[in-house]
Amino acid sequence: MIQLEPIGVVRSPFAEPSDVPRFAADRANVKGTIEIFETFREGLEDLEGFSHIVLIWRFHKSEEASLDATPPYDVGTKGVFATRSPRRPNALGLSIVELDTIENGCVHIRNFDMADGTPILDIKPYIPENIDPASVSLGWLEEARKAVLESLTD
Ligand SMILES: C[S@@+](CC[C@H](N)C(=O)[O-])C[C@H]1O[C@@H](n2cnc3c(N)ncnc32)[C@H](O)[C@@H]1O
Protein backbone atom coordinates (compact mmCIF):
# COMPACT_ATOMS: atom_id res chain seq x y z
CA MET A 1 0.00 0.00 0.00
CA ILE A 2 1.08 3.59 -0.57
CA GLN A 3 0.27 6.57 1.60
CA LEU A 4 0.14 10.01 -0.01
CA GLU A 5 0.13 13.41 1.67
CA PRO A 6 -1.76 16.22 -0.09
CA ILE A 7 0.41 19.26 -0.88
CA GLY A 8 -2.57 21.60 -1.07
CA VAL A 9 -6.28 22.03 -1.58
CA VAL A 10 -8.40 23.49 -4.38
CA ARG A 11 -10.62 26.52 -3.78
CA SER A 12 -13.15 26.34 -6.55
CA PRO A 13 -16.49 28.03 -7.31
CA PHE A 14 -17.82 24.53 -8.05
CA ALA A 15 -19.08 23.51 -4.61
CA GLU A 16 -19.85 19.93 -5.64
CA PRO A 17 -18.57 17.64 -8.41
CA SER A 18 -21.97 17.89 -10.09
CA ASP A 19 -21.48 21.70 -10.40
CA VAL A 20 -18.41 21.30 -12.66
CA PRO A 21 -19.38 22.05 -16.30
CA ARG A 22 -18.74 18.98 -18.42
CA PHE A 23 -17.28 20.82 -21.41
CA ALA A 24 -14.05 22.81 -21.15
CA ALA A 25 -15.56 25.68 -23.17
CA ASP A 26 -18.14 26.21 -20.42
CA ARG A 27 -15.49 26.70 -17.72
CA ALA A 28 -12.80 28.41 -19.79
CA ASN A 29 -12.57 31.62 -17.80
CA VAL A 30 -13.62 30.35 -14.41
CA LYS A 31 -10.92 31.12 -11.86
CA GLY A 32 -9.83 29.04 -8.90
CA THR A 33 -6.93 28.69 -6.51
CA ILE A 34 -4.77 25.95 -5.12
CA GLU A 35 -3.74 26.74 -1.57
CA ILE A 36 -0.38 25.07 -1.08
CA PHE A 37 0.29 23.99 2.49
CA GLU A 38 3.13 25.83 4.25
CA THR A 39 5.51 22.82 4.29
CA PHE A 40 5.45 22.54 0.50
CA ARG A 41 5.47 26.21 -0.57
CA GLU A 42 9.19 26.34 -1.24
CA GLY A 43 8.60 23.86 -4.05
CA LEU A 44 6.64 26.50 -6.02
CA GLU A 45 9.87 28.38 -6.75
CA ASP A 46 10.38 28.83 -10.52
CA LEU A 47 6.95 27.43 -11.48
CA GLU A 48 5.65 30.86 -12.53
CA GLY A 49 6.18 31.45 -16.24
CA PHE A 50 4.76 28.10 -17.31
CA SER A 51 1.42 28.76 -19.01
CA HIS A 52 -0.03 25.36 -18.09
CA ILE A 53 0.51 22.94 -15.23
CA VAL A 54 -0.33 19.28 -14.70
CA LEU A 55 -2.25 18.54 -11.52
CA ILE A 56 -2.51 15.11 -9.92
CA TRP A 57 -5.34 14.99 -7.45
CA ARG A 58 -7.74 12.85 -5.55
CA PHE A 59 -11.43 12.39 -6.43
CA HIS A 60 -12.19 12.76 -2.74
CA LYS A 61 -15.95 12.88 -3.32
CA SER A 62 -16.25 10.02 -5.74
CA GLU A 63 -18.44 7.04 -5.03
CA GLU A 64 -17.19 3.47 -4.79
CA ALA A 65 -14.74 2.42 -7.52
CA SER A 66 -15.99 0.36 -10.41
CA LEU A 67 -14.16 -1.42 -13.23
CA ASP A 68 -16.67 -0.17 -15.74
CA ALA A 69 -18.07 3.26 -16.41
CA THR A 70 -20.83 4.84 -18.45
CA PRO A 71 -19.38 7.93 -20.14
CA PRO A 72 -21.55 11.01 -20.76
CA TYR A 73 -22.11 9.95 -24.36
CA ASP A 74 -24.78 7.48 -25.30
CA VAL A 75 -22.31 4.71 -26.04
CA GLY A 76 -22.96 2.16 -23.29
CA THR A 77 -20.54 0.84 -20.71
CA LYS A 78 -16.75 1.01 -21.11
CA GLY A 79 -13.84 -0.37 -19.11
CA VAL A 80 -12.95 2.24 -16.49
CA PHE A 81 -9.38 2.57 -17.80
CA ALA A 82 -10.79 3.59 -21.19
CA THR A 83 -12.53 6.53 -19.51
CA ARG A 84 -11.82 9.46 -17.18
CA SER A 85 -14.48 8.38 -14.70
CA PRO A 86 -14.06 9.56 -11.07
CA ARG A 87 -15.16 6.12 -9.86
CA ARG A 88 -11.86 4.33 -10.42
CA PRO A 89 -9.31 2.34 -8.40
CA ASN A 90 -7.12 4.79 -6.42
CA ALA A 91 -9.44 7.67 -7.41
CA LEU A 92 -6.65 9.73 -8.96
CA GLY A 93 -7.47 12.66 -11.24
CA LEU A 94 -5.12 14.32 -13.72
CA SER A 95 -5.83 17.74 -15.20
CA ILE A 96 -3.89 20.19 -17.33
CA VAL A 97 -4.94 23.69 -16.30
CA GLU A 98 -3.91 27.26 -17.08
CA LEU A 99 -1.60 28.95 -14.60
CA ASP A 100 -2.22 32.66 -14.00
CA THR A 101 -0.08 33.75 -11.06
CA ILE A 102 1.39 32.48 -7.82
CA GLU A 103 1.26 34.62 -4.68
CA ASN A 104 1.64 33.82 -1.00
CA GLY A 105 1.50 30.08 -1.58
CA CYS A 106 -1.65 30.35 -3.69
CA VAL A 107 -1.55 29.08 -7.27
CA HIS A 108 -4.20 30.89 -9.33
CA ILE A 109 -5.59 28.72 -12.11
CA ARG A 110 -8.19 28.74 -14.88
CA ASN A 111 -10.01 26.09 -16.87
CA PHE A 112 -10.04 23.32 -14.31
CA ASP A 113 -12.50 20.55 -13.50
CA MET A 114 -12.06 20.08 -9.74
CA ALA A 115 -14.67 20.72 -7.08
CA ASP A 116 -14.01 22.84 -4.00
CA GLY A 117 -11.90 21.07 -1.38
CA THR A 118 -10.20 18.69 -3.80
CA PRO A 119 -6.84 17.52 -2.39
CA ILE A 120 -3.87 18.17 -4.69
CA LEU A 121 -1.15 15.50 -4.59
CA ASP A 122 1.37 16.90 -7.07
CA ILE A 123 2.01 19.72 -9.56
CA LYS A 124 4.26 19.54 -12.62
CA PRO A 125 4.93 22.02 -15.41
CA TYR A 126 3.17 21.08 -18.64
CA ILE A 127 5.71 20.49 -21.38
CA PRO A 128 4.31 19.61 -24.80
CA GLU A 129 5.95 16.39 -25.84
CA ASN A 130 6.90 15.43 -29.31
CA ILE A 131 3.67 13.67 -30.27
CA ASP A 132 2.51 14.20 -33.81
CA PRO A 133 -1.19 15.20 -33.46
CA ALA A 134 -1.89 13.32 -36.69
CA SER A 135 -0.79 10.08 -34.99
CA VAL A 136 -3.27 10.41 -32.12
CA SER A 137 -6.44 8.33 -32.22
CA LEU A 138 -9.19 8.39 -29.63
CA GLY A 139 -10.57 4.85 -29.68
CA TRP A 140 -14.29 4.62 -28.87
CA LEU A 141 -14.40 8.36 -28.14
CA GLU A 142 -13.76 9.23 -31.78
CA GLU A 143 -17.07 7.69 -32.94
CA ALA A 144 -18.98 8.95 -29.91
CA ARG A 145 -17.84 12.53 -30.49
CA LYS A 146 -18.77 12.36 -34.15
CA ALA A 147 -22.27 11.19 -33.25
CA VAL A 148 -22.69 13.97 -30.66
CA LEU A 149 -21.52 16.64 -33.14
CA GLU A 150 -23.89 15.29 -35.81
CA SER A 151 -26.81 15.31 -33.38
CA LEU A 152 -26.07 18.96 -32.56
CA THR A 153 -26.14 20.01 -36.21
CA ASP A 154 -29.38 18.10 -36.95
C1 LIG B 1 -14.52 13.25 -15.84
S1 LIG B 1 -13.54 13.73 -14.45
C2 LIG B 1 -11.99 14.07 -15.23
C3 LIG B 1 -11.00 14.59 -14.25
C4 LIG B 1 -9.60 14.73 -14.76
N1 LIG B 1 -9.50 15.70 -15.83
C5 LIG B 1 -9.06 13.40 -15.22
O1 LIG B 1 -9.02 13.15 -16.42
O2 LIG B 1 -8.65 12.61 -14.36
C6 LIG B 1 -14.10 15.36 -14.11
C7 LIG B 1 -15.30 15.33 -13.20
O3 LIG B 1 -14.92 14.87 -11.91
C8 LIG B 1 -15.83 15.35 -10.95
N2 LIG B 1 -15.06 15.85 -9.81
C9 LIG B 1 -14.38 17.00 -9.69
N3 LIG B 1 -13.80 17.10 -8.48
C10 LIG B 1 -14.12 15.97 -7.81
C11 LIG B 1 -13.81 15.47 -6.52
N4 LIG B 1 -13.03 16.14 -5.68
N5 LIG B 1 -14.31 14.26 -6.15
C12 LIG B 1 -15.10 13.57 -7.00
N6 LIG B 1 -15.43 13.98 -8.24
C13 LIG B 1 -14.93 15.17 -8.65
C14 LIG B 1 -16.65 16.45 -11.63
O4 LIG B 1 -17.94 15.96 -11.86
C15 LIG B 1 -15.91 16.69 -12.93
O5 LIG B 1 -16.78 17.07 -13.97
Side-chain angles (χ1 to χ4, degrees):
M1 299 300 270
I2 300 169
Q3 257 192 333
L4 300 172
E5 180 183 359
I7 60 162
V9 64
V10 174
R11 295 295 167 218
S12 158
F14 311 128
E16 295 297 327
S18 56
D19 297 328
V20 179
R22 185 171 297 164
F23 298 107
D26 296 328
R27 47 183 151 82
N29 282 311
V30 177
K31 295 182 179 183
T33 302
I34 307 166
E35 285 177 18
I36 301 298
F37 301 138
E38 190 76 43
T39 349
F40 299 100
R41 287 188 182 176
E42 197 185 325
L44 293 173
E45 190 81 29
D46 305 311
L47 183 61
E48 218 164 9
F50 286 93
S51 61
H52 294 73
I53 50 177
V54 180
L55 303 176
I56 298 170
W57 49 280
R58 174 91 175 174
F59 289 107
H60 76 307
K61 286 195 167 171
S62 87
E63 293 159 26
E64 202 184 340
S66 170
L67 291 183
D68 59 38
T70 309
Y73 301 93
D74 190 16
V75 289
T77 303
K78 302 289 170 205
V80 69
F81 302 127
T83 75
R84 305 190 79 128
S85 167
R87 295 183 52 200
R88 58 198 309 115
N90 297 319
L92 291 180
L94 187 150
S95 302
I96 298 168
V97 305
E98 289 173 62
L99 168 60
D100 279 341
T101 53
I102 301 176
E103 40 185 18
N104 303 325
C106 288
V107 181
H108 298 281
I109 56 173
R110 265 179 303 123
N111 198 358
F112 55 91
D113 55 2
M114 294 89 71
D116 191 50
T118 298
I120 296 292
L121 300 172
D122 201 358
I123 300 178
K124 303 182 188 207
Y126 172 70
I127 301 164
E129 300 292 352
N130 204 9
I131 297 173
D132 175 4
S135 73
V136 175
S137 57
L138 297 182
W140 65 264
L141 194 54
E142 205 122 34
E143 284 305 308
R145 275 191 169 164
K146 220 179 287 170
V148 170
L149 287 177
E150 277 165 13
S151 74
L152 292 177
T153 53
D154 280 349

